[in-house]
Amino acid sequence: MKTPHIPVFSPFSLWTTVRSVGPFNVACLFATLWAFVKVSRALRWRLKTTQLRGPPRISFMYGVAHKLVASQDTGGMYEHWATEYGVAYMVPGILGQAVVVLCDPRAIAHFYARETWTYVQTPFTLGLLEALIDRGLLSSHGEDHRRQRKALMPGFSNVAIRKLTSVFYDSAYKAKGAWDTAIESSKDANVVIEVQNCLDTIGIAGFSHDFGSLDGKRASVTEVFDTFGTNQRASTVNQFFILCALAFPIVTKIPTKRTNLFKQLNVTMGEISNELLIRSRREKDASMSERDEEKSIIGLLIKSEGQDAELHMSKEEVVAQMKVLLWALIELSRHPDVQSSLREELLVFGADPTYDQLKANLPYLDAVVHEVLRLHPPVVEILRLAAADDVIPLSELVRTKSGEMTDSISIAKGTFITIPVAAINRSLAIWGPDAKEFKPDRWLTQDGINGKAKEVQGHRHLLTFVDGPRMCLGKEFAITEFKAVLSVLVKNFVFEMRDGPDTPIEVASGLLPRPRVVGEDGIGVPLRVRRYE
């Protein structure tokens, strides 16, 4: 009986086949297969996705992405389109694609409940995260994300944050001491201070690392972030980079001056994290007291360190925290009446409040903090990719391209979905006619949050910390630190805009959008600061 002959392909035999057919014909074959796959996916997407109305395409290459990236108010653009086309609509995306935008509370709740499983990070986002912070919690999905999040949770529990509250105050009083010195050395009772230096607060509490900016040192971490927003040309280049990377995610891996800055940031923060990790382990091995050991998130995570634990905060979270505090000082400088009311509450209360008192005993401080978080979310929109087919319910009817009315939309695998966080947080339709105003009192009255806003599922009806499986782990950490630092600064100082309360503020493009005074060099927000007496 003959044994059947099974041909074995080798690289040599493959090359022989290519030569016999011809390289051109082989290239044409692959191009045809690629085109067939693309056309098949496009047809499937069109058949399985509800075709919604939306703004017209202004560029085949970029859709309306260039307009959004260049805008000073992307939230306002999304809100305008929602008013015109309904609570769910499509905007033209990169290379002829379309992006579904959800502005409906019920649809957003459905989306967040399925995030990390049905809705995942886009190739562009994954590439950027890998360039900035390597692989970890922010870039993981599904079961892997659940496992890593569980490993990190002890460092962000209420017990852990309660132990860190004294560290928040220590860093706030260091800022106070530096500003007292600056005022004493000035010729009059006030001085202009560049408040971006609040980065020290985050460094000391989050990492047990002093970035040195309060002492006049230039932190390498700060330099990298500032490079992306120091001038108009840099901002324009940043916009071009984002647009190219959206179209071709491999751009994030090409060695350029920009990607080298990403690597520099990653290396710098990695060195800080490793230094702290080694120091924390050394303290643990030396049986340091619990009081001495637990002075940073990393120190707290050491206690539950395991094989799967990831022991560092993301760089975006560090800078995002600084940005929110900066916006708080800007808003209080613009609204001296709010600043005075907040100071009065804090002075009547007396001593520095404990963690539990910060949560429950200072209602106006809580109102100011959440109003800043509502108006100035660090991340203005969330972009995800559908990993499976889905049907998203809506709380109100929308009109499709064909003119039909529907209360749900079908989403095909491969569809891009955007949640415009800033637009939802400031929406007139959701928050009422005063949605654009800085109005902390809305958080103090029974009817301050209207019916539509109450439908938004998220922390205090805000999407600032998103929702669902990816809700920000550091939410309580951020809010507690925000309150502690703000309480110390407002009790001791009076803040004013250097050029008056109507000083225009713009948003500088960078790794994260950051506020700056219009016409100011770099990302400066100089405030006039004087002691409260």
Side-chain angles (χ1 to χ4, degrees):
M1 182 176 179
K2 287 186 177 182
T3 303
H5 175 70
I6 301 174
V8 178
F9 291 98
S10 67
F12 179 76
S13 62
L14 181 61
W15 172 244
T16 303
T17 303
V18 170
R19 288 189 64 185
S20 63
V21 176
F24 177 75
N25 291 332
V26 172
C28 288
L29 177 61
F30 277 110
T32 302
L33 289 173
W34 179 84
F36 176 77
V37 170
K38 287 291 185 181
V39 170
S40 298
R41 287 178 178 175
L43 288 174
R44 183 183 185 279
W45 177 84
R46 186 166 289 278
L47 289 172
K48 286 189 166 285
T49 301
T50 303
Q51 299 301 301
L52 300 168
R53 299 181 303 155
R57 178 176 295 277
I58 57 179
S59 164
F60 174 78
M61 180 68 178
Y62 298 124
V64 295
H66 184 274
K67 193 175 179 181
L68 285 167
V69 170
S71 174
Q72 283 285 311
D73 185 15
T74 56
M77 292 178 65
Y78 281 122
E79 185 179 3
H80 171 75
W81 288 332
T83 303
E84 186 172 354
Y85 303 112
V87 294
Y89 56 90
M90 284 181 173
V91 297
I94 302 295
L95 294 176
Q97 295 176 327
V99 180
V100 174
V101 181
L102 302 178
C103 296
D104 177 67
R106 186 181 179 191
I108 292 171
H110 174 96
F111 167 88
Y112 277 130
R114 287 156 179 76
E115 201 180 2
T116 83
W117 301 92
T118 303
Y119 300 103
V120 299
Q121 303 275 19
T122 66
F124 163 71
T125 306
L126 288 173
L128 197 59
L129 286 173
E130 187 174 340
L132 285 170
I133 58 174
D134 297 322
R135 296 183 180 275
L137 181 69
L138 293 179
S139 58
S140 62
H141 298 120
E143 186 61 29
D144 190 39
H145 178 270
R146 188 198 66 78
R147 174 180 55 80
Q148 291 193 43
R149 187 179 176 94
K150 184 178 180 181
L152 280 168
M153 286 182 70
F156 295 95
S157 67
N158 288 342
V159 173
I161 298 168
R162 184 177 285 108
K163 293 175 181 177
L164 278 172
T165 305
S166 62
V167 185
F168 299 155
Y169 283 120
D170 288 345
S171 56
Y173 277 107
K174 182 174 183 183
K176 175 186 178 298
W179 292 358
D180 277 336
T181 301
I183 291 171
E184 287 173 3
S185 62
S186 66
K187 294 180 179 180
D188 51 17
N190 60 54
V191 65
V192 174
I193 292 177
E194 174 47 67
V195 293
Q196 295 279 9
N197 287 330
C198 290
L199 179 59
D200 268 298
T201 296
I202 312 307
I204 296 168
F207 292 92
S208 287
H209 177 80
D210 187 348
F211 288 110
S213 54
L214 289 176
D215 299 323
K217 301 174 185 176
R218 187 63 174 162
S220 57
V221 173
T222 314
E223 286 180 345
V224 176
F225 276 101
D226 290 357
T227 299
F228 292 91
T230 52
N231 57 58
Q232 190 59 43
R233 183 177 178 276
S235 297
T236 302
V237 171
N238 185 56
Q239 293 168 13
F240 179 75
F241 175 83
I242 292 173
L243 292 171
C244 288
L246 283 170
F248 308 103
I250 196 172
V251 167
T252 59
K253 299 183 182 298
I254 297 174
T256 63
K257 184 177 180 181
R258 185 162 297 273
T259 53
N260 288 338
L261 281 170
F262 289 163
K263 290 179 182 178
Q264 178 187 336
L265 177 63
N266 201 0
V267 169
T268 301
M269 295 300 284
E271 288 172 352
I272 292 171
S273 295
N274 289 336
E275 175 191 336
L276 296 170
L277 185 56
I278 292 169
R279 191 176 74 201
S280 296
R281 283 175 175 156
R282 191 183 302 124
E283 290 173 353
K284 183 182 179 183
D285 293 340
S287 300
M288 296 288 289
S289 70
E290 183 175 305
R291 182 171 177 268
D292 289 334
E293 177 184 339
E294 296 177 349
K295 287 192 175 180
S296 70
I297 291 177
I298 290 180
L300 290 161
L301 284 171
I302 283 290
K303 293 190 68 178
S304 60
E305 182 182 1
Q307 183 178 357
D308 298 324
E310 178 180 313
L311 302 178
H312 67 265
M313 290 180 71
S314 82
K315 291 82 174 176
E316 287 96 333
E317 288 172 331
V318 172
V319 178
Q321 175 77 338
M322 179 195 66
K323 174 194 166 187
V324 173
L325 178 58
L326 179 56
W327 272 117
L329 296 179
I330 291 171
E331 291 292 1
L332 291 176
S333 298
R334 285 171 157 178
H335 300 87
D337 55 330
V338 173
Q339 186 178 161
S340 296
S341 297
L342 175 58
R343 185 177 298 107
E344 182 179 352
E345 178 185 74
L346 294 169
L347 291 173
V348 168
F349 187 85
D352 293 333
T354 64
Y355 167 75
D356 296 291
Q357 290 169 335
L358 284 171
K359 289 192 73 169
N361 292 35
L362 294 161
Y364 201 71
L365 174 63
D366 183 77
V368 168
V369 164
H370 283 89
E371 187 69 349
V372 173
L373 292 171
R374 182 184 74 84
L375 285 175
H376 306 291
V379 179
V380 296
E381 63 181 279
I382 301 294
L383 179 66
R384 295 290 183 265
L385 183 68
D389 295 347
D390 193 22
V391 177
I392 300 178
L394 303 172
S395 64
E396 59 184 83
L397 297 174
V398 296
R399 189 181 301 278
T400 66
K401 270 188 178 179
S402 63
E404 298 178 358
M405 303 299 290
T406 181
D407 61 357
S408 65
I409 54 175
S410 297
I411 299 294
K413 178 181 178 179
T415 302
F416 289 99
I417 308 283
T418 283
I419 308 297
V421 172
I424 303 300
N425 278 3
R426 307 171 193 156
S427 169
L428 294 171
I430 294 176
W431 289 89
D434 58 359
K436 313 296 183 188
E437 300 174 23
F438 180 70
K439 187 179 175 183
D441 288 348
R442 76 175 77 247
W443 299 95
L444 301 174
T445 59
Q446 192 71 23
D447 57 350
I449 312 296
N450 65 30
K452 194 70 174 177
K454 289 180 180 178
E455 295 176 17
V456 178
Q457 294 185 21
H459 172 75
R460 302 286 289 272
H461 311 295
L462 299 176
L463 295 183
T464 304
F465 298 105
V466 302
D467 196 16
R470 285 196 182 275
M471 175 175 274
C472 178
L473 256 181
K475 171 175 63 68
E476 286 301 321
F477 174 98
I479 292 174
T480 304
E481 182 178 28
F482 191 178
K483 288 182 176 180
V485 174
L486 195 61
S487 68
V488 171
L489 297 182
V490 172
K491 271 198 302 185
N492 289 280
F493 300 105
V494 176
F495 297 93
E496 300 170 347
M497 299 300 294
R498 182 191 61 188
D499 304 319
D502 297 325
T503 300
I505 300 292
E506 64 181 358
V507 178
S509 298
L511 292 182
L512 284 171
R514 301 169 74 181
R516 71 176 171 199
V517 172
V518 173
E520 196 73 17
D521 292 334
I523 49 168
V525 182
L527 298 183
R528 195 171 298 281
V529 182
R530 57 183 171 86
R531 287 198 191 96
Y532 175 75
E533 295 173 342

